[in-house]
Amino acid sequence: MYLRPRRNRKSPAIRALAAETRLDAADFIQPLFVHAGREDEAIESLPGCTRWALDGLVREAGEVQALGVPAVVLFPAIAAELKTPGAEEAWNPDGLVPRAVRALKQAHPGLCVITDVALDPYNADGHDGLVQRAPDGSIEVLNDETVEVLARQALCHAEAGADVVSPSDMMDGRVARIRHELDAEDFEDVSILSYAAKYASAYYGPFRGALGSAPKDGDKKTYQMDPANVREAIREVGLDEAEGADMVMVKPAGPYLDVIARVRETTTLPLAAYQVSGEYLMIEAAAASGWVDGRAVAMESLLGIKRAGADLILTYYARRAAEWLGEAGG
Ligand code: PBG
């Protein structure tokens, strides 16, 4: 017997040489929750995560950046009284997100600040788009009307200084409309990271608890994708690329590694994957029960997402994973 694959595993040094995939803090995007209150708050539905007040947000973002994480993405908890059927707060230039973007860019000009473009935090109905109610109580999430409003929201974020706007709404045609709006207003340099293949997933539950943004009626299956489909993901990514997306995303990540791998083959754009709240919490819960080694499982999950083909990973572990990578000596 002379073919012995174990030779390539015989020592840490050889394993480092043979490693095909490596995690790096520069791969991560840190999601950060922000609210208008004065105190940072622990998030009950998302243990280990914080709803930051503006000061805390700026401090946390600076620490995350210092660990080598290049970008943060903001999610606002909007006060219930500001949520309206028309979601007008979504493009208020003095709203929470524009204030947060300005504070972050002033304190950390080199940090990449990404904003989420969708109506669910602002919409009294909790849907990502505008909702039309029929007399029989059934609802429709309007596409073209929503796209107009999303363009205003994206422009408002760009005016505040966002580096990247990230439509997570899954309306048809929104990337082209947002690109047009940004270019018309001289924001050619603001990038679009599109949630191109976003599935109607039960793994988003804890996130919706964090923002109080669960849909009041119905579900999101008329706009988010059917978890059964992968060819459709390739179609969605192709459309967003043609419409001018600079980067595309698959979401969730862990249960959709095949989608990440297939999409990787079909686009030359940077590909992001979002390890969502439910994925994070399943690891945290198992670790808290002593059933798994949380750090090892978290890092293996992130490595799996990267090995499947993701270049970038949005993850609630971004800060901790960057710290762990630092401890391991890179
Ligand atoms: C909504 C949005 C959601 C997430 C990010 N943006 C929830 C949803 O689509 O209902 C989920 C993120 C997570 O679960 O971590 N625009």
Side-chain angles (χ1 to χ4, degrees), residues 118 120 128 168 198 204 207-208 220 224 251 276-277 316:
D120 50 309
D128 292 25
S168 68
K198 177 174 177 179
Y204 306 151
F207 173 96
R208 294 176 187 169
K220 299 191 173 185
Q224 297 180 349
K251 175 186 178 187
V276 300
S277 55
Y316 300 98

Side-chain angles (χ1 to χ4, degrees), residues 27-29 71 73 114 164 166 192-199 237 246-254 256-257 259-261 263-264 267-276 305-306 308-315:
D27 302 327
F28 300 138
I29 298 173
V73 57
I114 306 175
V164 179
S166 193
I192 299 177
L193 163 58
S194 98
Y195 288 65
K198 177 174 177 179
Y199 287 87
V237 167
D246 300 285
M247 304 181 183
V248 290
M249 192 195 303
V250 171
K251 175 186 178 187
Y256 295 84
L257 296 181
V259 179
I260 295 172
V263 166
R264 174 68 294 163
T267 180
T268 55
L269 295 178
L271 175 59
Y274 197 147
Q275 184 189 50
V276 300
I305 294 166
K306 187 153 184 212
D311 304 298
L312 308 169
I313 308 175
L314 293 85
T315 170

Side-chain angles (χ1 to χ4, degrees), residues 34 38 45 78 109 117 119 134 160 177 210 245 265 273 299 315-316:
V34 58
R38 302 178 70 83
S45 76
I78 300 297
V117 175
L119 301 185
R177 181 66 188 87
E265 298 298 317
M299 292 305 265
T315 170
Y316 300 98

